[in-house]
């Protein structure tokens, strides 16, 4: 018996050395301890044929050996499982401190936003507040308060989106709609710009879009003059397109200013020589402006005998097109990556 046990122990230990994974460990366990025909089980079964005394002795030896072998199995099993987990951790682990080395595609600002920020910085450097106005606006602030009464033909200049069921609401056609709101909200004196989206019921073509951007400005004070207006606008034009840029103002009618002007600068592409973009005139129109009409000041509750001011409106989308030589305004709102990735 003793010999048999020694042999089984040796066999077991020998085969254990070859075990390299959980599966082969399980088959080793089966080989020795399977209930049906395990080598060790068979020895146990043989006990019943021994005499009482021998059975007792052999039983003791067998049980001791069983404990030893089971211990070996158990230890090997944990060893294999730990190794397996280690492998897994190694494979799955990430170094969170490692910088990303792949081809990282970052987003960037839209060209309209780039120009808007540049203008905001310019105006802020001259002491202007930057504010935001509502895109859904009352008919009153968009037109009536700006000296355009309901039956005035000037309403025809801007094709308006009216809101169904709310005839007194419109999608603002101009950022000028914030002029009276601004004076009511902040009082005077005042220096403020409002960049933002405006909407017109246009059939679109390369020069017209239903949604585009403007930048409105208003300055009100006790001795604000036309010359101040010219100075501010010239500073902006040079800031945007370079020191050599020249500006000219020509009379134009806008209901909310008197006198009103249209502002042109020397073409940024041909420097005034004349090209396709400026239609060979050497000049490009970039804003409307003028001295705030007394009726507008009155609507805002400002005494026009004491205060004057000027207002101006840049076509922001137009500035973007001129700056980057974009030939079709519809690219700006298209969301087309082939266009956007060029900036
Ligand atoms: N709101 C005008 C437009 O959309 C632009 C404009 C002209 C704004 C004259 C002004 C201004 O403030 O004084 O065509």
């Amino acid at each position: 018996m003793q010999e048999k046990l020694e042999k089984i122990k040796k066999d077991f230990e020998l085969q254990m050395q070859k075990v390299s994974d959980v599966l082969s460990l399980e088959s080793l366990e089966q080989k020795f301890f399977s209930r049906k025909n395990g080598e060790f089980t068979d020895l146990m079964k043989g006990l019943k044929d021994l005499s009482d005394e021998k059975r007792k002795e052999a039983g003791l030896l067998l049980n001791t050996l069983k404990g030893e072998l089971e211990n070996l199995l158990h230890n090997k099993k944990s060893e294999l499982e730990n190794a397996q987990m280690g492998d897994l951790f190694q494979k799955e682990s990430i170094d969170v401190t490692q910088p990303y080395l792949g081809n990282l595609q970052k987003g960037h600002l839209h060209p309209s936003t780039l120009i808007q920020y540049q203008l905001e910085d310019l105006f802020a450097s001259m002491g202007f507040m930057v504010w935001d106005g509502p895109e859904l606006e009352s008919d009153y602030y968009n037109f009536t308060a700006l000296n355009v009464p309901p039956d005035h033909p000037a309403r025809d200049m801007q094709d308006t989106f009216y809101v169904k069921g709310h005839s007194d609401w419109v999608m603002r056609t101009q950022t000028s709609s914030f002029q009276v709101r601004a004076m009511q909200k902040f009082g005077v004196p005042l220096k403020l710009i409002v960049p933002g989206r405006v909407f017109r019921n246009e059939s679109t073509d390369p020069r017209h879009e239903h949604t585009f951007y403007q930048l409105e400005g208003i300055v009100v004070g006790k001795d604000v003059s036309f010359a101040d207006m010219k100075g501010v606008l010239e500073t902006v034009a040079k800031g945007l397109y370079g020191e050599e840029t020249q500006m000219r103002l020509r009379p134009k009618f806008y209901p909310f200013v008197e006198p009103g002007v249209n502002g042109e600068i020397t073409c940024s592409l041909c420097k005034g020589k004349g090209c396709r973009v400026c239609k060979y005139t050497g000049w490009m129109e970039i804003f409307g402006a003028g001295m705030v009409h007394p009726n507008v000041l009155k609507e805002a509750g400002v005494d026009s005998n004491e205060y004057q001011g000027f207002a101006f409106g840049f076509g922001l989308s137009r500035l973007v097109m001129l700056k980057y030589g974009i030939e079709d305004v519809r690219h700006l709102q298209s969301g087309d990556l082939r266009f956007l990735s060029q900036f």
Side-chain angles (χ1 to χ4, degrees), residues 158 173-174 176 179 200 214 216-217 254 256-257 288-290 311-313:
Q158 300 182 354
T173 57
Q174 48 186 351
S176 309
Q179 284 187 15
R200 305 252 174 117
Q214 289 188 337
E216 184 78 13
Y254 294 102
F256 34 91
V257 283
F312 52 87

Side-chain angles (χ1 to χ4, degrees), residues 16-27:
M16 181 67 108
Q17 278 170 16
K18 292 185 200 148
V19 166
S20 59
D21 54 46
V22 179
L23 269 182
S24 50
L25 185 71
E26 274 169 12
S27 51

Side-chain angles (χ1 to χ4, degrees), residues 16-128:
M16 181 67 108
Q17 278 170 16
K18 292 185 200 148
V19 166
S20 59
D21 54 46
V22 179
L23 269 182
S24 50
L25 185 71
E26 274 169 12
S27 51
L28 178 66
E29 189 175 5
Q30 284 296 311
K31 189 167 176 225
F32 284 83
F33 293 104
S34 151
R35 277 176 190 240
K36 253 195 199 160
N37 51 5
E39 289 178 29
F40 193 86
T41 321
D42 286 348
L43 274 180
M44 290 291 243
K45 281 180 188 161
L47 282 179
K48 66 179 188 314
D49 304 326
L50 301 176
S51 66
D52 277 1
E53 205 177 315
K54 282 206 169 158
R55 190 187 318 126
K56 212 173 163 189
E57 199 184 317
L60 205 68
L61 288 172
L62 272 172
N63 272 334
T64 316
L65 180 62
K66 191 181 178 204
E68 280 176 30
L69 298 187
E70 277 174 351
N71 249 343
L72 284 175
L73 275 172
H74 178 77
N75 290 345
K76 187 75 179 177
K77 195 169 178 187
S78 339
E79 187 188 306
L80 286 171
E81 279 173 354
N82 285 343
Q84 211 173 33
M85 283 307 272
D87 276 358
L88 205 70
F89 277 135
Q90 199 132 45
K91 266 192 221 139
E92 300 271 299
S93 70
I94 41 167
D95 176 0
V96 291
T97 63
Q98 177 162 352
Y100 181 71
L101 300 174
N103 175 23
L104 191 64
Q105 266 212 317
K106 270 195 191 165
H108 58 78
L109 295 177
H110 189 279
S112 301
T113 315
L114 290 172
I115 298 287
Q116 180 183 326
Y117 285 2
Q118 201 180 338
L119 279 166
E120 285 178 6
D121 285 349
L122 256 165
F123 279 106
S125 74
M126 292 187 279
F128 281 72

Side-chain angles (χ1 to χ4, degrees), residues 267-292:
C267 176
S268 59
L269 293 176
C270 64
K271 310 281 174 219
K273 288 194 199 79
C275 68
R276 199 172 53 86
V277 173
C278 60
K279 298 211 203 87
Y280 302 97
T281 62
W283 296 94
M284 301 185 310
E285 182 182 343
I286 60 167
F287 62 83
M291 299 305 289
V292 180

